[in-house]
């Protein structure tokens, strides 16, 4: 079993900051790419940011310069620092991890989601 547990969501005023965390646990040999996605009501889930095990990052244009993704490989944890939040950032944020299992299989796992609400 592999579990991803997210934390750090909440309600914040526009211009404020939040930090999301996602910790992976279970029978994990290695975690390759990790990322954050979000889904607003009535919209499709979209990429926010991803980070490879080596630290290479990709950001959605809408969050560049405001959000920073990072990870702690020793803790199997990925973070998303969100600054200068806007009402349009309101969504459920999901963590994703590309996991190599001790069994030799390769799996994609998702967290349960954490709500981020930005008030104007």
């Amino acid at each position: 079993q592999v579990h991803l547990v997210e934390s750090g969501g909440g309600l914040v005023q526009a211009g404020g900051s939040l930090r999301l965390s996602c910790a992976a646990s279970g029978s994990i040999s290695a975690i390759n790419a990790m990322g954050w996605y979000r889904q607003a009501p009535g919209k499709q889930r979209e990429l926010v940011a991803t980070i490879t095990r080596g630290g290479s990052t990709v950001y959605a244009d809408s969050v560049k310069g405001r959000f920073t993704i990072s990870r702690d490989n020793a803790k199997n944890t990925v973070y998303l620092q969100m600054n200068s939040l806007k009402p349009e950032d309101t969504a459920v944020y999901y963590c994703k991890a590309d996991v190599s299992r001790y069994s030799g299989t390769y799996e994609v796992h998702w967290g349960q989601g954490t709500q981020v609400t930005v008030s104007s």
Side-chain angles (χ1 to χ4, degrees):
Q1 289 278 16
V2 175
H3 299 282
L4 301 183
V5 178
E6 299 143 340
S7 61
L11 173 64
V12 65
Q13 288 189 332
S17 298
L18 284 174
R19 188 187 193 217
L20 305 183
S21 299
C22 173
S25 62
S27 178
I28 299 170
S29 174
I31 300 180
N32 306 303
M34 300 186 82
W36 290 95
Y37 292 72
R38 67 187 181 186
Q39 188 166 17
K43 295 188 176 181
Q44 289 188 331
R45 190 172 298 188
E46 63 178 4
L47 169 73
V48 176
T50 63
I51 184 167
T52 67
R53 185 171 182 82
S56 297
T57 59
V58 173
Y59 293 94
D61 288 343
S62 59
V63 307
K64 283 180 181 177
R66 300 188 297 122
F67 291 10
T68 302
I69 189 170
S70 61
R71 63 188 285 174
D72 184 333
N73 292 331
K75 296 181 178 180
N76 286 339
T77 299
V78 63
Y79 306 96
L80 185 69
Q81 178 66 43
M82 304 185 293
N83 298 328
S84 302
L85 282 160
K86 304 175 181 180
E88 51 263 44
D89 294 317
T90 295
V92 178
Y93 283 69
Y94 296 91
C95 169
K96 174 177 172 279
D98 299 340
V99 175
S100 296
R101 306 288 299 277
Y102 289 117
S103 61
T105 60
Y106 176 83
E107 302 172 353
V108 176
H109 290 271
W110 291 89
Q112 80 285 355
T114 185
Q115 177 70 45
V116 171
T117 302
V118 184
S119 63
S120 57

